[in-house]
Amino acid sequence: MILLSVYFLVPTIGHFENVRTLAQEKETPLPFYVYLFPPDEIKLGLDLQGGIYVELEVQVEEALKNKADLLSSDLERLLKKEPFAPEKIERNPDNSEILITPKEGQSHEEISHWIRKNYNETLIEAGGQNGEKRLVYHLTKSFEDQTRNYAVQQALETIRNRIDRYGVSEPTIVRLGGNKISVELPGMTDPDRALNLIKKSGKLEFKLVDESVADDTVRGWVAETRNESNLTEDYSEQSIAKINEKLKERLPVESEILFEIQRDPLTKKIVGGTPYLLKRKAEVTGEMLKNAQVNINNNEPYVSLSFNSIGTRLFADLTKNHVGKRLAILLDDNVASAPVIREPILSGEAQITLGLGDYQTLLREADDLTLVLREGALPAKLKELTKTVVGASLGKDTIQRGMKVMLMASLVVIIFMITYYKLSGLLADIALILNILFVLAALAIFQATLTMPGIAGLVLTIGMAVDANILIFERMREELRHGHSGRSAIEAGYHNATRAILDSNITTFLAGIVLYQFGTGPIRGFAVTLMIGIVSTLVTALWVTRVLQDGILYGLKKESISV
């Protein structure tokens, strides 16, 4: 058992992971001894090796709006073929309502009947709005719940795919309940880039520029609104929404203002933004992408896009019908560029340029963007609730401090046991060392994660192991005081103390199960270490020390025991 434990701990002690990394970097073969031992070291938690922990909230209301957009497009496409086709179908900009405006003099009964027949499980009629003949539809409760749940699940899978492609080893991505997701990325050296990759919506849209208002007029409206409303020169989602709200009366109903953001090529800080008046409706979206890849032209990386058959057809129709007009390419509601359509593009291919900057930075941006586009857009935006970043050096320092505390605790216990219980105390110390060895080996075998609370669990295990030995030794002393022989004292000591030791350890083990079931991250690490430690304590305290006591008593043919 001891040899087996050492066998599983050799990769951790020898830092085999570093050996593999070094061999990979130098493109040299691995040393032969690496193949003789198991491949895995003890897994270290976020607090011991550095990394990032973040909790995110999926904005499910946005997912409902997106779903209502898709439904309104479907209704528009299908009802267009019917003799009672309405004049207009749109989504209420403020919520997920779908508004249907019948033609002048047209009865809405036929439209209502058709929707009840074809969308009974999805839409429910809410009546007219403000006495108008406009029909208002809500999403049904069951469809809303299904959409919310699907949005969180889809966001979870999208994040997992992006992280896997990014190359982070052993990430932990968990749904916390409701619409919250936790992401733990141990060993992450560039947390800002990882977080940006996770939170990037990846929403790609192609929208026509509304040329009914001149660009200078739009810029004047925006500047005037900022001055009148004391809005700062920022381009956040909230700020843009306020500008659109203030200009609601001036803007065409089907249009909105969005910005092309300019950044400093070196610092990447925002230095300005150009407003565009765009049609709200996206003509082509990222859902129609077939592939995205990085290409380089004149030493400038850019992202080339190719659409699937539906996207190719829609993109061809769009460019064919709007030659001479500007088409804006939007990423996460920011205008990437707005080129003029010179001629119909029938190949189903487009490209996104990345602006100014050094080659390596642009190449990294292009890599991240293609990864996001390939893995698909998030169903809704993510709101960052909490974020914890642990530096690699801090994690290393934490390990050293934790190990130092554990060694000091062990040393104090060892000295006390030898001083107070003499030879029996020495045997208990041997069992204690074996106890720690078995716990670490179990962590390596089961690939459990060792965290800072886990090290605290190890220290607690040392205390519980000593407590078990003290119970046994005090029982033995009691038997010796009553004049019993050493053999009888050992027998009675272990027999009488076993029940009390089992009771206390089983109770603590049950508490460990509860912590593991309902805890997250480091708490789970503590629970795992504690439960493994309890099992190991019972083995070493009740079996190992008993074997050693019997071995000395019978092997050396002694009549008395030192306790």
Side-chain angles (χ1 to χ4, degrees):
M1 199 168 172
I2 295 172
L3 291 177
L4 192 65
S5 298
V6 172
Y7 172 74
F8 279 101
L9 286 176
V10 166
T12 303
I13 297 168
H15 299 292
F16 279 14
E17 193 60 42
N18 291 345
V19 175
R20 288 192 186 88
T21 305
L22 198 61
Q24 193 174 10
E25 288 175 356
K26 293 184 175 179
E27 297 182 352
T28 56
L30 281 172
F32 74 93
Y33 57 83
V34 172
Y35 298 103
L36 302 178
F37 295 94
D40 299 316
E41 299 179 14
I42 292 178
K43 283 171 58 181
L44 298 180
L46 186 74
D47 49 355
L48 295 184
Q49 64 169 316
I52 181 172
Y53 173 84
V54 60
E55 285 186 11
L56 303 162
E57 185 179 66
V58 182
Q59 304 291 289
V60 290
E61 295 306 316
E62 185 187 331
L64 293 176
K65 291 180 182 177
N66 293 338
K67 186 60 75 177
D69 278 335
L70 290 175
L71 282 171
S72 61
S73 295
D74 281 346
L75 287 172
E76 188 176 16
R77 179 171 54 83
L78 296 172
L79 281 172
K80 193 183 290 182
K81 303 171 186 173
E82 302 294 339
F84 46 84
E87 182 180 331
K88 187 165 61 175
I89 300 176
E90 60 187 342
R91 196 255 301 165
N92 189 328
D94 300 326
N95 51 45
S96 58
E97 288 177 348
I98 293 177
L99 310 175
I100 301 178
T101 307
K103 289 177 181 171
E104 188 66 30
Q106 180 185 18
S107 168
H108 57 70
E109 283 304 322
E110 290 177 304
I111 298 174
S112 300
H113 176 72
W114 186 90
I115 291 179
R116 278 198 302 274
K117 180 182 175 184
N118 295 283
Y119 287 84
N120 188 41
E121 301 294 327
T122 308
L123 296 172
I124 182 168
E125 188 174 346
Q129 193 176 60
N130 298 327
E132 297 178 3
K133 287 186 178 179
R134 187 161 57 173
L135 295 169
V136 181
Y137 281 90
H138 293 166
L139 303 179
T140 61
K141 179 72 168 55
S142 60
F143 188 71
E144 277 192 359
D145 292 342
Q146 182 186 355
T147 303
R148 284 192 177 95
N149 183 57
Y150 179 73
V152 179
Q153 195 60 37
Q154 190 184 354
L156 188 80
E157 292 303 320
T158 304
I159 292 172
R160 180 171 289 130
N161 290 337
R162 288 180 183 181
I163 294 300
D164 288 346
R165 296 276 186 176
Y166 187 75
V168 178
S169 61
E170 299 169 356
T172 304
I173 305 163
V174 181
R175 183 173 180 174
L176 298 178
N179 55 343
K180 294 178 184 173
I181 294 172
S182 74
V183 181
E184 187 175 314
L185 306 176
M188 175 57 60
T189 55
D190 191 350
D192 289 337
R193 185 184 177 193
L195 192 57
N196 183 51
L197 193 68
I198 292 170
K199 291 176 63 181
K200 205 176 188 69
S201 298
K203 186 177 170 188
L204 175 67
E205 295 174 309
F206 291 78
K207 293 183 177 181
L208 286 167
V209 177
D210 187 341
E211 315 227 19
S212 62
V213 182
D215 289 347
D216 288 342
T217 305
V218 174
R219 281 194 287 272
W221 285 350
V222 171
E224 184 183 322
T225 305
R226 284 192 191 277
N227 289 333
E228 289 178 352
S229 305
N230 293 324
L231 294 176
T232 55
E233 191 76 15
D234 75 282
Y235 304 93
S236 63
E237 183 184 353
Q238 293 79 7
S239 180
I240 294 173
K242 282 182 184 175
I243 290 173
N244 278 287
E245 180 62 29
K246 297 287 182 185
L247 293 172
K248 194 174 181 180
E249 300 300 324
R250 298 189 191 178
L251 299 178
V253 178
E254 71 278 6
S255 300
E256 62 182 339
I257 291 177
L258 293 175
F259 288 82
E260 180 181 3
I261 296 173
Q262 281 93 41
R263 294 177 186 273
D264 184 280
L266 296 177
T267 63
K268 289 297 175 187
K269 288 184 178 177
I270 296 174
V271 294
T274 304
Y276 284 92
L277 184 63
L278 305 176
K279 300 284 187 183
R280 288 183 184 274
K281 183 182 177 184
E283 303 292 338
V284 181
T285 69
E287 293 180 354
M288 301 165 192
L289 270 185
K290 180 182 178 184
N291 192 23
Q293 61 183 20
V294 179
N295 282 326
I296 298 170
N297 183 28
N298 291 329
N299 214 29
E300 289 185 3
Y302 67 92
V303 176
S304 63
L305 311 171
S306 59
F307 296 101
N308 59 21
S309 57
I310 298 174
T312 300
R313 180 171 55 79
L314 291 177
F315 199 65
D317 291 344
L318 173 67
T319 53
K320 193 164 54 181
N321 296 330
H322 298 89
V323 173
K325 295 184 178 178
R326 286 179 292 170
L327 179 66
I329 304 172
L330 291 100
L331 274 170
D332 297 340
D333 292 331
N334 291 321
V335 178
S337 60
V340 176
I341 303 172
R342 302 289 181 191
E343 58 185 19
I345 302 173
L346 307 178
S347 60
E349 294 181 347
Q351 66 181 49
I352 301 174
T353 53
L354 301 169
L356 300 175
D358 66 87
Y359 178 81
Q360 288 299 331
T361 303
L362 291 178
L363 186 62
R364 194 174 65 175
E365 286 181 15
D367 281 336
D368 288 352
L369 181 56
T370 52
L371 191 154
V372 169
L373 293 175
R374 280 179 187 165
E375 296 307 326
L378 289 169
K381 289 181 180 174
L382 300 175
K383 181 182 178 183
E384 185 180 310
L385 298 178
T386 61
K387 181 176 74 171
T388 304
V389 178
V390 181
S393 58
L394 182 60
K396 189 177 179 181
D397 185 56
T398 304
I399 294 176
Q400 290 173 347
R401 286 170 180 264
M403 289 301 172
K404 189 176 177 181
V405 168
M406 193 174 71
L407 288 174
M408 287 177 64
S410 302
L411 188 62
V412 169
V413 169
I414 286 171
I415 293 172
F416 169 77
M417 292 298 286
I418 292 177
T419 305
Y420 198 72
Y421 292 108
K422 303 181 179 65
L423 181 59
S424 294
L426 177 62
L427 299 181
D429 290 339
I430 293 172
L432 186 65
I433 294 170
L434 291 178
N435 191 1
I436 296 172
L437 180 70
F438 294 157
V439 172
L440 293 176
L443 289 174
I445 293 170
F446 297 113
Q447 281 295 286
T449 302
L450 181 63
T451 61
M452 190 59 199
I455 293 178
L458 270 176
V459 176
L460 181 59
T461 299
I462 293 171
M464 294 181 68
V466 170
D467 183 57
N469 286 125
I470 289 173
L471 278 174
I472 294 168
F473 295 161
E474 289 300 322
R475 290 285 187 181
M476 289 164 63
R477 279 183 170 180
E478 194 176 324
E479 295 296 321
L480 290 175
R481 279 198 292 271
H482 285 89
H484 296 152
S485 65
R487 184 179 304 178
S488 176
I490 291 174
E491 186 72 34
Y494 278 91
H495 177 75
N496 294 331
T498 297
R499 174 169 292 182
I501 294 171
L502 285 176
D503 284 350
S504 63
N505 281 276
I506 289 174
T507 306
T508 311
F509 191 88
L510 293 175
I513 292 175
V514 174
L515 284 175
Y516 183 82
Q517 182 65 30
F518 296 103
T520 59
I523 303 299
R524 279 193 159 193
F526 172 79
V528 169
T529 310
L530 182 64
M531 288 189 289
I532 292 174
I534 288 171
V535 174
S536 179
T537 294
L538 292 176
V539 172
T540 53
L542 297 178
W543 184 70
V544 172
T545 56
R546 176 67 185 270
V547 169
L548 292 174
Q549 290 278 15
D550 287 345
I552 291 174
L553 196 64
Y554 294 105
L556 300 179
K557 296 182 178 176
K558 286 191 173 185
E559 292 297 327
S560 62
I561 56 174
S562 174
V563 63

